[in-house]
Amino acid sequence: MPSSRRTFLAGTAALVAGTALARDYGPGAQPTRYPDPDIVSLDPRFKKYALGNTPIHRLYHNPQMLWAEGPAWNGVGRYLLWSDIPNNIQRRWLEEDGHVSVFRNPANNSNGNTFDNQGRQIACEHGTRSVVRFEHDGSTTVLADRFDAKRFNSPNDVVVASDDSVWFTDPTYGIDSFDEGYPSESEIGGCHVYRIDASSGDAANGSVTAEITDMVRPNGLAFSIDERSLYVADTGASHVVDGPRHIRRYDVDLAAGAVTGGGELFATCPVGAFDGFRIDVDGRLWASGHLGVHCYHPDGTLLGTIRLGETCANVEFGGVDRRTLFMTATTSLYAVEVAVAGFR
Ligand code: MG
């Protein structure tokens, strides 16, 4: 019987009781002792990425925020926006003064966000079951809302390649219940990774192809730096007993506009399941999970963990030098400075 993602994640809580963070970030909290005890190095190679004199900050906390996901950094506006899926809004944190406000309301139960190569926001919307683009003139363009004349399930996360093609995942979390969208049957009958072609000069006119069709619930995704690999998380354990909770690596030929092979296991989440992740300029993966964030070497070795007291749904590099790692985690937005920049 399918269970909700939340139920699945809660089921793992007992496993982490010994390591879960009993940390007070609120007013009057005690100063942190350096190095931050919740930045855990598991491999000597992680040391160069963890700064000594920096704590994990909780930039924003709101008990009414139900599921924070889809962070995207805007380098021009110097803000981080993210989705609060069940509350059907997007929020924004301004670097200038730390101010947080509602950015879009309603937001069609948006999930993953990114900015394309022209600086336009792209969002995955559970509510409309589509991938949309917000134009510089304020209008909204639907990039894709169906495949083979069938509506998508609920696009979850999205990345834009250097050739402007748009790649996104389409699990069922937005049609499973009222939790994150509107209950409905899947029209497609599967959960795939899709590509929107942009060779015409605009992805809005591009054809949609299903590039990865052997996953249970594809979720977060990111290209390697050379764009010859596409990493995709599978959170299928939310629906299948002992199902996938890992990241796989696929071979990509961007010039051909296609996934050409691969699909080997890259890493399995230590506790719970990976959701979203990002790549740094050294090719490391920083992946969200139940414990917080896990950093992986491209060879699949777990280098270190940033422990949070809440389940982390996604991460994003930002700040003027892209060395701030933002973490959207249930009711909070966290950030920590690291010694490596995110890859754009
Ligand atoms: Mg996701």
Side-chain angles (χ1 to χ4, degrees):
M1 177 183 294
S3 59
S4 77
R5 175 173 61 184
R6 231 73 97 239
T7 305
F8 160 68
L9 292 170
T12 63
L15 294 175
V16 300
T19 55
L21 192 63
R23 177 164 173 172
D24 181 8
Y25 284 97
Q30 293 298 307
T32 301
R33 197 181 299 277
Y34 294 139
D36 191 310
D38 290 308
I39 302 174
V40 182
S41 180
L42 301 169
D43 183 292
R45 291 174 289 180
F46 187 67
K47 287 263 174 19
K48 72 176 268 204
Y49 297 110
L51 292 171
N53 299 328
T54 189
I56 302 167
H57 294 285
R58 188 172 70 183
L59 300 179
Y60 178 70
H61 171 65
N62 183 340
Q64 270 80 51
M65 189 159 70
L66 296 174
W67 189 262
E69 188 162 356
W73 171 256
N74 186 297
V76 175
R78 291 172 66 168
Y79 62 84
L80 184 91
L81 68 81
W82 71 94
S83 301
D84 180 352
I85 306 173
N87 279 316
N88 194 19
I89 59 176
Q90 292 175 9
R91 299 179 194 270
R92 174 179 57 177
W93 174 86
L94 284 176
E95 184 184 60
E96 182 181 355
D97 62 357
H99 179 74
V100 172
S101 56
V102 172
F103 188 62
R104 292 185 197 281
N105 181 15
N108 294 321
N109 299 103
S110 70
N111 189 337
N113 296 287
T114 192
F115 289 94
D116 70 9
N117 300 316
Q118 292 72 38
R120 298 167 294 193
Q121 183 193 349
I122 292 177
C124 295
E125 294 184 345
H126 289 180
T128 62
R129 300 166 68 170
S130 65
V131 178
V132 302
R133 186 175 71 201
F134 299 103
E135 308 291 349
H136 293 309
D137 67 4
S139 62
T140 304
T141 301
V142 176
L143 296 184
D145 63 356
R146 61 198 67 218
F147 176 69
D148 243 359
K150 298 177 180 131
R151 297 184 72 191
F152 292 123
N153 303 316
S154 49
N156 187 290
D157 212 346
V158 57
V159 289
V160 178
S162 60
D163 68 351
D164 294 335
S165 59
V166 179
W167 299 65
F168 65 96
T169 57
D170 185 42
T172 57
Y173 298 109
I175 58 171
D176 285 341
S177 74
F178 285 110
D179 224 13
E180 299 185 1
Y182 303 97
S184 185
E185 292 298 313
S186 172
E187 294 185 16
I188 291 173
C191 300
H192 308 318
V193 180
Y194 296 94
R195 171 185 177 273
I196 308 173
D197 183 73
S199 58
S200 72
D202 189 346
N205 307 320
S207 58
V208 179
T209 48
E211 294 296 335
I212 297 172
T213 58
D214 66 345
M215 303 191 97
V216 181
R217 292 293 183 280
N219 204 315
L221 75 174
F223 284 102
S224 61
I225 290 174
D226 61 10
E227 294 184 308
R228 291 166 69 172
S229 298
L230 180 66
Y231 296 92
V232 187
D234 193 335
T235 47
S238 62
H239 285 68
V240 177
V241 176
D242 294 329
R245 47 189 190 85
H246 53 226
I247 292 171
R248 293 166 66 186
R249 180 166 48 198
Y250 293 84
D251 303 329
V252 173
D253 183 341
L254 210 57
V259 169
T260 55
E264 69 273 12
L265 179 69
F266 173 73
T268 298
C269 195
V271 176
F274 299 120
D275 198 326
F277 53 92
R278 294 289 189 273
I279 307 266
D280 69 29
V281 294
D282 286 342
R284 272 79 169 167
L285 267 77
W286 299 73
S288 71
H290 187 69
L291 291 179
V293 177
H294 306 294
C295 176
Y296 287 88
H297 189 274
D299 69 9
T301 306
L302 177 59
L303 301 178
T305 293
I306 298 170
R307 298 193 306 193
L308 302 174
E310 303 179 80
T311 298
C312 185
N314 214 329
V315 303
E316 167 75 317
F317 286 99
V320 286
D321 49 13
R322 297 192 74 82
R323 285 196 298 101
T324 303
L325 183 71
F326 293 98
M327 300 165 275
T328 47
T330 314
T331 66
S332 302
L333 171 67
Y334 298 90
V336 64
E337 296 299 308
V338 291
V340 63
F343 178 69
R344 182 72 175 100

